Amino acid sequence: LLFFRFFFLDDLTGFEITYLLELPEPFSFIFTWFAAVPAIVYLALSLTKLIIRDSLILKGPCPNCGTENTSFFGTILSISNEGSTNNVKCSGCGTAMVYDSSTRLITLPEGGNA
């Protein structure tokens, strides 16, 4: 919303604000790579850590058909993953699997067939 307001004001002035903020050639390169890019990367990493906390993604093949399956463990905003195991059905053949975040193993449930 703030960016839209700035662009709207800049458009009304005939982009004079943009011309005032431009730096001469050698300084614009230095500012971009040594000030702007690190600030943007830091901001992006901070927002990601704020939204997604304690994340772990387990990915592995199905013991039956070999299809890659993925399971997410962690917290997104205030919604947390309860427990250290996820029950996942294979997207290829429908085999039930248990993903364990503590041992980082993908196993079949008790009595499952491979």
Side-chain angles (χ1 to χ4, degrees), residues 21-77:
L21 294 176
E22 284 184 4
L23 296 172
E25 185 53 43
F27 300 114
S28 64
F29 176 81
I30 293 169
F31 175 77
T32 299
W33 289 105
F34 297 106
V37 170
I40 291 169
V41 168
Y42 177 75
L43 180 66
L45 290 174
S46 298
L47 287 174
T48 301
K49 287 180 183 176
L50 180 69
I51 294 171
I52 300 174
R53 294 185 299 266
D54 305 325
S55 65
L56 172 67
I57 298 173
L58 292 181
K59 182 178 179 181
C62 171
N64 262 354
C65 64
T67 304
E68 286 285 322
N69 292 288
T70 307
S71 181
F72 176 80
F73 296 90
T75 302
I76 299 176
L77 293 176

Side-chain angles (χ1 to χ4, degrees), residues 6-20:
F6 174 77
F7 181 77
F8 183 72
L9 287 175
D10 197 25
D11 189 33
L12 286 178
T13 62
F15 297 101
E16 290 295 323
I17 298 172
T18 302
Y19 296 131
L20 290 174

